Amino acid sequence: MGTGELDREAHVPAGPSAETSARTDAHASASAAEGTGGRAAGTSPRTLAEALRSRGDEGLAALLRARPDLLSPVPNDLTQLATRAGTRASVVRALERLDRFTLQTAQALAVAVEPASYGPVLALLGGDDGDPAVEAALPRALGVLREQALVWGDDDRLRLVRTARELLAPSPQHPSATGLGPTVAETTSGMSPGRLQEILGAVGLTSTHDPVSAVAALTALFTDRDRMTALLDTAPPDALAVLDRLVWGPPYGEVTADPAPPVRWLRDHGLLLPTSLRTVVLPREAALHLRGGRAHRETDPVPPEVRVAAEYRPQVVDSTAAGQAHTALATVEELLKGWQTGGPSVLRAGGLSVRDLKRTATTLNVSEEIAAFWIELAYAAGLLASDGEADERFAPTPAYDEWLDLPAPARWTALVTAWLPATRTAGLVGGQDTKGRTLAALGPDLDRGAAPEVRHRVLTLLADLPWGAAPVQDSLLARLRWERPVRTPSPAAPGAPDTPDLRSRIAAWTLTEAELLGLTGRGALCTAARTLLAAPPAPPTAPAPPTAPAPPTPSPADGRGRTEAGPGSTEPAGPSGSPPQSIAASTAAASATGGVVPHSPAELAARAALAAAVIAPMLPEPLDHVLLQADLTAVAPGPLERPLAEALGVLADVESKGGATVYRFTPGSVRRALDAGQAATDLHAFLARHSRTPVPQPLSYLIDDVARKHGHLRIGAASAYVRCDDDALLDEILADRRSHGLRMRRLAPTVLAAQADPATLLDGLRAMGYAPAAESAEGDVLITRADAHRTPHRTPPVPVPDGPPLPDDTLLGAAVKAIRAGDKAATAVRKPAPHTAEGALPRTTPAETLATVQAAALTGSAIWIGYVNADGAASQRVIAPIRVEGGFVTAYDHTADEVRTYPLHRITGVAELAEPA
């Protein structure tokens, strides 16, 4: 069989079926340790529970902060915490939140001999020649793994949590990202002794009939660099070519019953071992020798640097961002103003139809993707919702009116603070869900729990750049992928293009959305955004550095303040007055918190107020005037005051937008103002009051001409009728062929009756060029003003978190205190209780119970009790009685770490402790 027939094999990843291994890591025997479970000084912990007992409160709090799922519910003691930390779901979640090098370190531990020491792990990552960057980064990676309880033990006895080893170790069903295969011992398990003897003879080893000794001898050969090199020197060149195809993985290949000579030579010498009749594998030890001792083809100990694409002056960034912020406010207002008189219908499955999205995009003069973003943003801010009527439609909420009354800076921060924590992802609109259905704007299935974390991390990385610098997008995405790599079942082929994962797509959308909102200007983070993120901004004019640096501001990546750069970290230089940002520190902070937004709602509101104060001077002031021109247009050189803008919007049509808005006066727009109850004199006075230029004569003539005709015809309900004092005008209408569809006839010299309803008749005559006015049953002219439709009070959509929320310091402190107390009670050494089986509740008579409790209250000692609560749930507790009276005992409960009162009749029995608890 030729070497070309040794094809690579595809594998489907599969996890272990049993989850009981987590309990093995916790090891029930650890509960017998004394006190806090402390081990003798200088000895390595025997179990994960022991390792957790040796931590201080800050170490336990760091674990619970990094893995908040361990807090649901709060563990009773450290043994239960260790057990929960080893469960498959929790370990998978923790592994998925590691940066690339820390994950590579865990993968190297999974292929190392357990327990591993620091040196072999360093060799697996750095290779035989070593790598200074790996050597500098490995302590941090091991520190993260220890902190998150994925690794425990001292540097000379490092152990990966069993579940993590099962997930990361190579196997045929679960390939590793290292591309390594099983060990010689694992591959030869079940191999016949005769076959082992043949391999030993082929490689020149002493024959032995003990399979264990034979496997050990073959393993020693493959791990001995000199002897392994000598063996490979005797290999045919074609055999070495076969090894080159398998060395970086996948390590499996298919062979026939009669393989080619190169494959036969490798098989005879144990360099390819059979795993089935047609499959062989390159043993791990042999692959590591061929790789030069490296577990990975490429290690990434240093995060990719976010490169700068361009730098701008601070004033340019802030002015550009302020202009975008003003446009954002105008766009949201225009969107909701267009929907307040009858928004689009809600689809039966929920959401907005494609046709309505296209219509909205045309109205806003943006693409459909951008229109979907503005719609989702208004929904996230609580300004838009469905009205819940039988003919359900989308409409503004009452909160929209409150939002309109706010100053422009406050309206901007309301939009931004709704966008930051929102999990609804507008970029998904137009895509398909897992069932092939199109995702609609405002519809279901748009929530992505990772969106807030990715948004905040992108903005934080922008804040870490020099002030006024815009990033190269590809480098920023590469940094995000390093901080949270996408797990793949097998190593990607060299040169294969990367498919954009969801986090990268969210990051790209974040850059676009931040620019639309005015958080960035020309791609660089503005001052207001830095204030909102609690990132220290540089002075806009970049003066000389201050004599005393300001105290560090808490970073949005970790919420605990920036740390100093460690050895080997790089510092991107910022402008004067801007403190340098440490790549190593920001990476550690992002890894510690998972990049979750650390601000509480109160803190975010306070930051929003500061950001509003920063951006307020940059937003244009609303104007109270326009410039009237002779071509029947009015130019608004900036944003108008709200009453002026609303009145002008009725009197004229918007012709163009931009830095200056152009309004055009037409007969239809003037008639619209007259229909709204305005008189011609009111319109003349309004224009004269708000125009910085004289009112042009053509505009005055237009208003007077339309007003003279307005209301000359009167339309009411008969089905409908037309009345007019000028019977010649009625003759003209009857003679017009365009009126035949209205089916009118003369009832009197000044009255025409029509079969159409009044609204249709009104529209029909206006289409014919007349200016009729509607009248009421009493003969009064009706003022037709569109009523703004509002939904009932609605709450904004609640973000769907990606896992449990990040606990605050108060919760962490209480949880650590409770776990410590429970562990102290669980590990207290007790005297054997009479008539009590090992592990069961203590059993004593009521008299013995009362006497023992009273004696403990007098001496102030602690005792062990069995207790059954009102629901019948039994538990064991360590208490220190304080008072015994009225059939109750009041005691300090070491298990709950608080004073409680217990009915004596619910205590099953008591036992003394061997020493004070």
Side-chain angles (χ1 to χ4, degrees):
M1 194 77 180
T3 58
E5 298 174 358
L6 186 64
D7 297 327
R8 292 187 176 182
E9 202 173 36
H11 304 284
V12 179
S17 58
E19 298 184 5
T20 57
S21 58
R23 176 63 67 178
T24 305
D25 277 326
H27 207 281
S29 65
S31 63
E34 298 184 6
T36 59
R39 49 192 170 89
T43 62
S44 182
R46 296 170 298 169
T47 63
L48 177 59
E50 271 192 22
L52 294 180
R53 286 192 180 93
S54 65
R55 293 191 183 192
D57 289 350
E58 292 184 0
L60 288 179
L63 168 61
L64 297 176
R65 183 182 293 108
R67 298 175 64 178
D69 56 292
L70 302 180
L71 277 174
S72 301
V74 176
N76 293 331
D77 52 43
L78 289 172
T79 300
Q80 189 178 80
L81 176 63
T83 301
R84 193 176 297 172
T87 56
R88 180 182 175 85
S90 181
V91 170
V92 168
R93 179 175 177 81
L95 291 175
E96 289 176 347
R97 303 180 78 84
L98 297 176
D99 63 70
R100 182 172 298 162
F101 182 68
T102 305
L103 183 59
Q104 287 178 333
T105 303
Q107 292 164 349
L109 283 167
V111 300
V113 178
E114 191 178 26
S117 58
Y118 186 89
V121 175
L122 179 61
L124 283 171
L125 292 168
D128 294 341
D129 298 332
D131 187 336
V134 169
E135 188 174 351
L138 183 56
R140 181 199 67 83
L142 285 175
V144 172
L145 293 174
R146 276 199 184 98
E147 180 184 89
Q148 300 196 19
L150 295 172
V151 168
W152 54 276
D154 297 332
D155 283 351
D156 58 343
R157 295 184 65 82
L158 294 169
R159 293 182 181 273
L160 194 64
V161 172
R162 184 182 298 273
T163 307
R165 176 174 286 275
E166 292 172 349
L167 290 169
L168 299 176
S171 68
Q173 295 78 24
H174 189 180
S176 168
T178 61
L180 292 170
T183 63
V184 171
E186 293 169 344
T187 310
T188 57
S189 176
M191 183 178 289
S192 66
R195 178 67 184 122
L196 283 174
Q197 299 309 313
E198 293 176 1
I199 296 176
L200 292 180
V203 297
L205 295 177
T206 304
S207 176
T208 174
H209 294 287
D210 179 16
V212 176
S213 301
V215 171
L218 191 60
T219 301
L221 170 64
F222 288 170
T223 54
D224 188 317
R225 295 305 171 88
D226 295 334
R227 291 196 293 161
M228 187 64 174
T229 301
L231 174 62
L232 292 175
D233 287 343
T234 64
D238 291 342
L240 296 179
V242 173
L243 293 179
D244 288 340
R245 295 174 52 192
L246 301 177
V247 63
W248 291 108
Y252 295 90
E254 290 187 359
V255 296
T256 61
D258 184 21
V263 177
R264 188 182 307 114
W265 188 94
L266 294 172
R267 190 184 62 181
D268 293 342
H269 289 75
L271 294 173
L272 290 180
L273 295 174
T275 59
S276 66
L277 292 177
R278 295 180 58 85
T279 307
V280 292
V281 66
L282 176 64
R284 185 183 308 170
E285 294 84 353
L288 286 173
H289 174 83
L290 295 169
R291 295 178 176 196
R294 303 178 70 93
H296 300 84
R297 182 191 290 265
E298 294 181 0
T299 53
D300 299 290
V302 179
E305 182 183 0
V306 180
R307 302 191 305 275
V308 175
E311 292 192 47
Y312 305 96
R313 290 185 299 109
Q315 297 90 337
V316 173
V317 173
D318 285 343
S319 61
T320 304
Q324 289 295 125
H326 169 68
T327 303
L329 298 179
T331 303
V332 172
E333 186 175 347
E334 182 182 2
L335 166 69
L336 297 178
K337 183 183 294 184
W339 285 15
Q340 68 180 358
T341 56
S345 301
V346 180
L347 294 175
R348 183 178 301 176
L352 194 67
S353 68
V354 175
R355 180 181 58 186
D356 288 328
L357 179 60
K358 290 182 178 179
R359 185 182 295 117
T360 302
T362 302
T363 301
L364 299 179
N365 195 25
V366 295
S367 65
E368 293 177 30
E369 293 79 9
I370 301 301
F373 165 68
W374 292 121
I375 293 170
E376 285 291 340
L377 178 63
Y379 179 55
L383 309 179
L384 174 67
S386 59
D387 57 12
E389 302 292 340
D391 182 18
E392 194 171 15
R393 292 180 175 274
F394 291 109
T397 65
Y400 170 61
D401 299 308
E402 300 173 4
W403 181 76
L404 287 177
D405 293 336
L406 294 174
R411 282 186 282 138
W412 178 74
T413 55
L415 296 180
V416 171
T417 53
W419 172 73
L420 273 175
T423 55
R424 291 186 61 84
T425 309
L428 297 173
V429 172
Q432 292 185 337
D433 60 10
T434 55
K435 298 181 179 179
R437 295 173 298 194
T438 301
L439 297 172
L442 299 177
D445 302 326
L446 290 182
D447 284 289
R448 296 297 182 271
E453 170 198 333
V454 176
R455 286 193 200 107
H456 205 277
R457 187 57 188 151
V458 167
L459 297 179
T460 303
L461 290 174
L462 293 181
D464 289 342
L465 291 176
W467 212 93
V472 176
Q473 180 171 323
D474 290 343
S475 68
L476 187 143
L477 297 182
R479 174 64 175 272
L480 290 175
R481 283 193 292 268
W482 184 91
E483 292 180 350
R484 193 69 60 79
V486 181
R487 293 190 61 195
T488 54
S490 59
D498 293 334
T499 55
D501 56 290
L502 177 61
R503 288 176 58 85
S504 296
R505 292 160 60 201
I506 293 176
W509 296 331
T510 296
L511 293 173
T512 302
E513 294 167 1
E515 190 77 14
L516 291 172
L517 279 172
L519 288 168
T520 58
R522 301 194 180 186
L525 206 64
C526 70
T527 305
R530 290 175 178 269
T531 304
L532 186 66
L533 296 171
T541 55
T547 56
T553 306
S555 165
D558 59 7
R560 294 173 290 173
R562 301 191 184 275
T563 59
E564 295 182 0
S569 64
T570 57
E571 303 278 357
S576 299
S578 178
Q581 304 293 334
S582 165
I583 291 180
S586 62
T587 300
S591 177
T593 64
V596 180
V597 179
H599 297 315
S600 64
E603 185 181 356
L604 189 59
R607 287 286 171 187
L610 295 176
V614 170
I615 202 173
M618 307 175 198
L619 292 175
E621 290 289 337
L623 304 176
D624 61 351
H625 64 275
V626 295
L627 305 176
L628 295 178
Q629 302 185 110
D631 60 349
L632 297 181
T633 61
V635 177
L640 299 177
E641 293 180 346
R642 188 168 309 283
L644 173 58
E646 291 178 351
L648 195 60
V650 175
L651 180 57
D653 298 326
V654 176
E655 189 170 78
S656 65
K657 300 176 184 178
T661 304
V662 178
Y663 295 86
R664 176 164 295 280
F665 300 94
T666 64
S669 68
V670 174
R671 183 173 63 241
R672 185 170 63 233
L674 296 173
D675 288 343
Q678 299 289 328
T681 55
D682 298 331
L683 300 182
H684 287 301
F686 169 79
L687 293 176
R689 185 168 60 252
H690 292 288
S691 175
R692 287 291 177 89
T693 58
V695 179
Q697 194 175 50
L699 179 56
S700 299
Y701 286 168
L702 174 65
I703 293 174
D704 292 337
D705 186 51
V706 174
R708 186 166 42 255
K709 299 178 181 178
H710 186 266
H712 196 193
L713 295 177
R714 299 293 183 89
I715 294 179
S719 285
Y721 64 84
V722 181
R723 69 181 182 89
C724 181
D725 295 335
D726 186 357
D727 56 353
L729 181 58
L730 296 182
D731 292 338
E732 179 183 339
I733 292 174
L734 286 175
D736 195 322
R737 296 179 58 184
R738 293 174 295 175
S739 68
H740 292 174
L742 300 176
R743 293 183 295 173
M744 292 184 292
R745 62 187 179 86
R746 188 185 295 271
L747 294 181
T750 59
V751 179
L752 296 179
Q755 298 298 318
D757 58 89
T760 304
L761 183 57
L762 194 68
D763 293 338
L765 291 180
R766 284 176 177 172
M768 294 167 61
Y770 299 98
E775 71 177 14
S776 64
E778 292 78 16
D780 300 325
V781 175
L782 291 175
I783 297 176
T784 56
R785 183 183 295 113
D787 294 328
H789 178 57
R790 295 290 183 267
T791 70
H793 283 280
R794 305 289 191 194
T795 56
V798 179
V800 179
D802 183 22
L806 190 69
D808 56 22
D809 292 339
T810 303
L811 176 58
L812 285 176
V816 170
K817 187 177 181 181
I819 293 172
R820 287 282 192 212
D823 196 63
K824 182 178 181 180
T827 58
V829 181
R830 304 146 186 166
K831 289 183 178 179
H835 314 296
T836 301
E838 184 177 356
L841 295 179
R843 296 287 179 179
T844 56
T845 64
E848 292 173 335
T849 298
L850 179 60
T852 305
V853 171
Q854 288 175 335
L858 291 174
T859 60
S861 59
I863 58 175
W864 170 40
I865 68 170
Y867 182 74
V868 179
N869 64 13
D871 296 329
S875 61
Q876 303 181 40
R877 300 175 180 272
V878 175
I879 66 172
I882 302 172
R883 183 175 61 254
V884 182
E885 60 182 7
F888 292 88
V889 55
T890 301
Y892 176 77
D893 190 334
H894 288 276
T895 307
D897 197 19
E898 64 182 7
V899 176
R900 291 184 175 181
T901 300
Y902 299 98
L904 283 171
H905 69 275
R906 293 194 178 276
I907 297 177
T908 64
V910 296
E912 296 180 356
L913 298 180
E915 57 184 8

